[in-house]
Amino acid sequence: MPYPLLDTIHTPADLRRLDPSQLKPLAEELRAFLLESVSQTGGHFASNLGSVELTIAIHYVFDTPDDRLVWDVGHQTYPHKVLTGRRERMNTMRKYGGLAGFPKREESDYDTFGVGHSSTSIGAAAGMAEASKLRGDTRKCIAVIGDGAMTAGQAFEALFNAGDKQATDLLVVLNDNEMSISPNVGAFNAYLAKLLSGKFYQGFRNTGSKVLENMPPLHEFVRRSEEHVKGFLTPSTLFEEFGFHYVGPIDGHDLDTLVPTLRNLKSLSGPQFLHIVTKKGHGYKLAEGDPVKYHAVTPFTPADGMAPKAAAKPTYTQVFGQWLCDMAEQDPRLVGITPAMREGSGMVEFEKRFPDRYYDVGIAEQHAVTFAGGMACEGIKPVVAIYSTFLQRAYDQLIHDVALQNLPVVFAIDRAGLVGADGPTHAGSFDLSFLRCIPNMAILAPSDENECRQMLYTAFQMNQPTAVRYPRGTGPGVEIAKAFTALPVGKGETRRQGKRIAILAFGTMVAPALKAGEALDATVANMRWVKPLDVELVKQLADSHELLVTVEENSIMGGAGSALSEALNAAGYARRVLHLGLPDRYVDHGDPAQQLAECGLDAAGIEASIRSAFGI
């Protein structure tokens, strides 16, 4: 498909040479290119279609990259990547050695801050703005944050801090795609936004304020009157209370409003807040109709849309979702808690069947954990469904609000280990290490789908904080028993009997360890429990084998292998141990199998590492 305007844009400097009348045709071309590109590669889709005009307007008005642009999460940055010199590499999106799915500082000077988690943009941009002021620079700093990200406490902490610094230039753009606010968008609101951001209004406001300073009663009356008028005409004066000059809401797809409003705001000093309204999937009817389905896509045909996925073996996420519903039927004390990841954590069916026992607390991982602790104090049995990478954000609450009080909260930790195309920001590389050192915590790692179901049941029966960590995607494909069976606490099992070498594998590493064990004629143990570790099995294997190998899909430092070495040392054993796991570096995005092979955690890699280390 020809893209006559887009073909001329290699950097935002090229964009800024366009006549304003060319911006709308450019937006149409950019949206068409995204449809063509993402339908071939897969990736985040609906949110990127919704941010086309905003991206064009920001790069058109501001002098990026000298003006700092910080995106939140990064789901909506594909248009940004296209306009900042990476269009020719969009076919490598999220592939090994290709473009990252999120902003990445190493990838481009236009990616001023690496992101992947929610609600960091305001804090980062505020830090950049303050640094710019300290150096005496005149650059502008812009944070783009979505309405969902505003549910996180970190965003409001940053607003409190930034709004208190009236001498620091910062623009926060709230990209709001909630349909409930769309009636507030129209010609009058667009006019109001231009008026409130214009120099005439600001000059009148500032001059009037100085005149009235010596007449406090009248000054207070006028201030309150202004707030009431703006509160009547706009959704809220909340952000004014934070210390920001609030403008909006305006139509985020209307370049005729966006561009002059941004220009006006660029000329102002101090903290500014622009509220825009966009539509996820804008310009592609199927994505507009089902933005959740089209949030992240696999390759599809644009004319037909995403085809229904063929039936396959269940993912670990689906195993958890089914267990949650089955367990809830048996025990009315069970509640499910998610920090805004209903679909990702497999809780859609649970919400439908048990709406009064389903809690989505928004993107507020810290609150999710403390909230669960409060419920557990009152005899409720909370299950917190959370990605490994997001649990990192609630570490303090995990220690102080749950573990210290030994509260029976089950943590269903999804996306443990490497996660493929989403890369290091989403990888669950550290949970075994950061959980294992917490007193009162119990940690289980299933080797297959049925073991996952039974481990979740076992964890739910325990009267202490317990974590079951499982990977993204599918497992070996074993049959899943409907009946629940509690596993013996702190007991592993020997899956293969061999000679000389014993491979002690945790969770996902059992399957490749068994293949390596066949090639080496090694004993293979499915350890099941990371904490409490099966010390008796460890000593038994140490007594009967010359060489011990631990394998885990977690950082080697402080992980399950470290637990084994600690146990051997405490028992007075002097054995040579080889620890295999994730290296002391971040593993780039790519195909999951390729990532594991790169880390030496596929069957061939495990075998090769053992042969090399022990000279066999």
Side-chain angles (χ1 to χ4, degrees), residues 322-323 325-326 329-330 353 450 453-454 479-485:
Q322 186 61 58
W323 169 81
C325 290
D326 293 346
E329 285 184 341
Q330 290 192 17
R353 292 174 57 183
N450 183 58
R453 178 177 171 87
Q454 307 311 331
E479 183 178 352
I480 301 174
K482 178 70 175 176
F484 290 136
T485 304

Side-chain angles (χ1 to χ4, degrees), residues 80-335:
H80 165 79
K81 288 177 183 271
V82 172
L83 296 176
T84 54
R86 287 168 276 184
R87 178 184 160 196
E88 299 302 320
R89 298 187 63 208
M90 289 297 287
N91 62 339
T92 70
M93 178 63 68
R94 292 158 50 94
K95 296 178 181 177
Y96 187 79
L99 294 179
F102 307 96
K104 188 176 182 179
R105 282 172 55 85
E106 299 88 341
E107 190 176 288
S108 171
D109 289 340
Y110 292 90
D111 292 358
T112 60
F113 197 77
V115 296
H117 287 193
S118 166
S119 314
T120 60
S121 60
I122 301 175
M128 293 176 182
E130 193 66 18
S132 179
K133 186 183 74 173
L134 289 172
R135 287 198 310 265
D137 296 334
T138 58
R139 66 167 49 100
K140 299 294 183 177
C141 297
I142 308 102
V144 179
I145 187 168
D147 55 311
M150 291 300 295
T151 64
Q154 184 175 2
F156 284 90
E157 290 170 12
L159 286 173
F160 272 117
N161 178 240
D164 189 48
K165 300 183 181 302
Q166 291 297 304
T168 302
D169 294 344
L170 172 68
L171 170 61
V172 175
V173 180
L174 171 60
N175 183 8
D176 186 340
N177 51 44
E178 282 292 320
M179 292 300 293
S180 61
I181 204 169
S182 58
N184 293 314
V185 178
F188 183 72
N189 276 281
Y191 170 75
L192 177 67
K194 293 180 186 178
L195 177 66
L196 294 178
S197 66
K199 290 184 177 179
F200 174 80
Y201 172 82
Q202 286 299 304
F204 176 79
R205 189 173 188 258
N206 294 336
T207 301
S209 179
K210 290 179 180 178
V211 170
L212 294 171
E213 279 178 357
N214 296 321
M215 296 179 284
L218 187 56
H219 183 273
E220 181 65 11
F221 172 78
V222 172
R223 185 187 69 81
R224 290 182 177 275
S225 297
E226 180 192 50
E227 289 181 355
H228 283 304
V229 170
K230 290 177 68 178
F232 174 74
L233 296 173
T234 60
S236 172
T237 55
L238 170 66
F239 300 105
E240 295 274 2
E241 297 299 326
F242 282 114
F244 282 76
H245 167 228
Y246 173 90
V247 175
I250 65 172
D251 185 346
H253 300 300
D254 181 3
L255 284 161
D256 290 336
T257 299
L258 262 179
V259 170
T261 301
L262 285 170
R263 277 185 174 147
N264 285 334
L265 289 169
K266 181 182 179 180
S267 68
L268 302 179
S269 60
Q272 310 294 323
F273 193 100
L274 174 62
H275 184 174
I276 72 169
V277 179
T278 61
K279 187 175 184 64
K280 291 184 79 171
H282 184 68
Y284 184 62
K285 294 298 183 184
L286 294 174
E288 288 182 11
D290 194 347
V292 173
K293 177 181 178 181
Y294 283 88
H295 171 69
V297 300
T298 54
F300 66 96
T301 304
D304 302 322
M306 290 181 64
K309 294 182 180 179
K313 55 186 180 181
T315 65
Y316 280 98
T317 302
Q318 291 169 330
V319 171
F320 163 73
Q322 186 61 58
W323 169 81
L324 191 66
C325 290
D326 293 346
M327 194 72 245
E329 285 184 341
Q330 290 192 17
D331 195 328
R333 297 175 300 164
L334 182 148
V335 298

Side-chain angles (χ1 to χ4, degrees), residues 335-364:
V335 298
I337 301 170
T338 175
M341 294 301 296
R342 181 188 64 172
E343 288 80 15
S345 292
M347 299 180 74
V348 174
E349 185 64 23
F350 178 78
E351 183 198 17
K352 290 179 181 178
R353 292 174 57 183
F354 305 96
D356 295 338
R357 294 155 66 183
Y358 167 80
Y359 298 90
D360 183 344
V361 301
I363 304 175

Side-chain angles (χ1 to χ4, degrees), residues 8-27:
T8 68
I9 308 300
H10 304 291
T11 70
D14 299 323
L15 170 63
R16 290 189 280 270
R17 284 192 283 268
L18 295 181
D19 185 83
S21 64
Q22 296 176 292
L23 297 183
K24 289 182 183 178
L26 176 64

